[in-house]
Amino acid sequence: MLGTVPTERSVCASLAAAARSRGKTATLAVEISRLRDAIDTITVPTVDLRSARRRLADASGEEGRLKERVATLRGDVRARRAVDADTTASLAELRDAAAALSVAQTDRIAAEQGLEQARERAKQARDKRERRLRLSDRLRNRRRDARAELAGSMYPLFREALSAVPEGDLAAPGRHPSEYQGSKLAASFAAVRVASLDGPVTLRSPAVAAFESWNGAPAEQVLGVRTAGPEL
């Protein structure tokens, strides 16, 4: 985060990074780690309710068709018996249709059970998804609080560093990182100055120009780290 100047990050985020570079950890670090672990253990399965509903609709449709077929064949058998006609073929068709209907009813019952199970899995998936969202929200809030804590711990050093960097004398730092009013470039310089970095830090054109027009010490001396960038 502090490897390029300007950092294009907030003062709070930059100072939190500076604090971490000096080995500082937030008091919320353990809770943040636990939240990350808890989120990682939550796997939300994909449940295909549409397919389960389609299978039930198909099974119900087939059952309905065969019920009508059985009713028609029964009527045909009764009609043939009423006139003493041969019912052998009609009875054979009726038996086949009744057997097929029994299978269709079994398939429909299985499809109903499958849909009910899919709905239960979908509910469990929603519960897991909602839990993960709640934990993610809590993690985001704790990370924000941790950044604020770390940034606050560095702010006295940051305020002092502003007086030693280009454009820093024009800043109004206030008492807290959220109160900082001034050049983002100066804030980046000061954040790098108070950090413990191995370097090199890349200076973009605005940073190079700021040091070229400044009457103070060279960039590496001011920032306390090796630098690289345009024309360096």
Side-chain angles (χ1 to χ4, degrees), residues 6-229:
T7 64
E8 296 185 352
R9 299 298 298 273
S10 68
V11 172
C12 185
S14 296
L15 288 181
R20 293 189 185 97
S21 74
R22 295 168 67 113
K24 294 191 176 199
T25 58
T27 56
L28 293 170
V30 173
E31 182 179 358
I32 288 172
S33 178
R34 288 174 178 169
L35 285 170
R36 279 200 306 262
D37 290 343
I39 292 171
D40 289 342
T41 62
I42 299 175
T43 300
V44 180
T46 299
V47 181
D48 191 357
L49 277 174
R50 181 177 299 176
S51 293
R53 291 192 182 101
R54 186 169 57 249
R55 283 192 295 271
L56 178 56
D58 291 345
S60 297
E62 180 65 6
E63 181 186 15
R65 185 187 69 79
L66 288 170
K67 281 182 177 180
E68 292 179 2
R69 174 66 173 159
V70 168
T72 299
L73 289 171
R74 282 175 177 163
D76 183 58
V77 169
R78 284 194 297 268
R80 287 179 175 276
R81 284 174 177 170
V83 297
D84 293 327
D86 184 15
T87 60
T88 302
S90 296
L91 285 172
E93 287 187 66
L94 177 59
R95 283 193 298 271
D96 291 344
L101 174 58
S102 178
V103 172
Q105 288 172 331
T106 300
D107 291 344
R108 187 260 304 161
I109 292 171
E112 286 178 342
Q113 293 173 342
L115 177 57
E116 185 60 31
Q117 292 168 358
R119 284 172 173 161
E120 179 59 29
R121 291 195 301 271
K123 179 180 180 301
Q124 294 173 358
R126 284 194 300 272
D127 292 342
K128 287 185 177 182
R129 190 178 298 107
E130 289 172 0
R131 172 169 168 73
R132 189 170 65 182
L133 286 173
R134 288 195 300 271
L135 291 175
S136 296
D137 286 342
R138 189 183 305 172
L139 176 60
R140 185 163 49 251
N141 292 335
R142 293 298 180 271
R143 281 174 168 166
R144 183 187 61 232
D145 294 341
R147 285 194 298 270
E149 176 189 337
L150 290 172
S153 71
M154 296 295 294
Y155 209 59
L157 291 176
F158 172 80
R159 294 174 62 185
E160 292 178 9
L162 283 172
S163 63
V165 301
E167 302 182 14
D169 56 342
L170 301 177
R175 297 179 59 84
H176 304 284
S178 61
E179 298 176 355
Y180 176 81
Q181 294 182 3
S183 162
K184 291 182 178 180
L185 188 57
S188 296
F189 287 147
V192 170
R193 181 179 172 87
V194 300
S196 177
L197 304 174
D198 294 332
V201 171
T202 300
L203 302 184
R204 293 175 176 167
S205 296
V208 173
F211 272 104
E212 287 178 345
S213 62
W214 193 51
N215 294 323
E220 291 190 351
Q221 182 177 336
V222 171
L223 301 179
V225 66
R226 291 183 297 112
T227 60

